[in-house]
Amino acid sequence: MMAKVAFLLANGFEDSEMKNPYEAVKESGHEVVIVGLEKGAECKGKKGTVSYTADLGASEVKAADFDAVVIPGGGAPEALRVNDDVVRFVKEVNEAGKLIAGICHGPQVMISADILKGKEVTSYIGIRDDVKLAGANYHDKEVVVSENLVTSRTPADEPAFIREILARLA
């Protein structure tokens, strides 16, 4: 059975951290849904190489409808984490024990959803202290898997990040 995967997106995401996992998940036959702050909103990458249109707004989604969530990094997580519907959705997905994958600044949304206590996590080094203050054990590794969470640091870690996402969706 193929999974239904939500990609959380807002303007300013890191282009490759969206494009590469999105294409890999889609090519593996899984259903991909872009969840933005508003349905139909155009989300542009910070480097301008890609843009996506939100299939659904955060207020329209619930954990029961998805098998996993991917949170690309860049500046987008900062806009996503202050949205109550995004935070509610990520909390619900976590409570259901479903996969949540975040790369770079993606774990900022996990911090706001208060789901990192006691977890093993990595992230972009610039938010390392925030991850620790949220109760996580920080590791400077290309990918860290802790129960239902998969985290990575930078675009250089995308192959490991994608590998772990696909392994958990299989």
Side-chain angles (χ1 to χ4, degrees), residues 15-37:
D15 299 44
S16 68
E17 291 174 355
M18 171 58 186
K19 181 178 182 283
N20 296 332
Y22 178 82
E23 289 180 1
V25 169
K26 194 173 181 177
E27 286 169 12
S28 293
H30 301 289
E31 182 181 350
V32 290
V33 178
I34 297 170
V35 176
L37 297 175

Side-chain angles (χ1 to χ4, degrees), residues 33-102:
V33 178
I34 297 170
V35 176
L37 297 175
E38 290 179 26
K39 181 178 182 172
E42 186 180 1
C43 303
K44 297 177 183 172
K46 72 179 193 175
K47 294 188 173 137
T49 64
V50 288
S51 68
Y52 297 88
T53 302
D55 299 310
L56 293 171
S59 65
E60 302 173 87
V61 295
K62 53 187 186 287
D65 296 336
F66 293 90
D67 301 298
V69 174
V70 178
I71 312 167
E78 192 67 43
L80 293 167
R81 74 185 299 190
V82 297
N83 180 284
D84 292 340
D85 290 311
V86 169
V87 172
R88 170 199 48 81
F89 177 58
V90 172
K91 276 185 184 186
E92 287 175 1
V93 171
N94 187 65
E95 287 165 6
K98 296 177 180 181
L99 173 66
I100 303 173

Side-chain angles (χ1 to χ4, degrees), residues 95-117:
E95 287 165 6
K98 296 177 180 181
L99 173 66
I100 303 173
I103 186 169
C104 190
H105 286 78
Q108 286 179 313
V109 178
M110 298 176 195
I111 291 168
S112 294
D114 195 26
I115 64 170
L116 293 184
K117 282 186 186 72

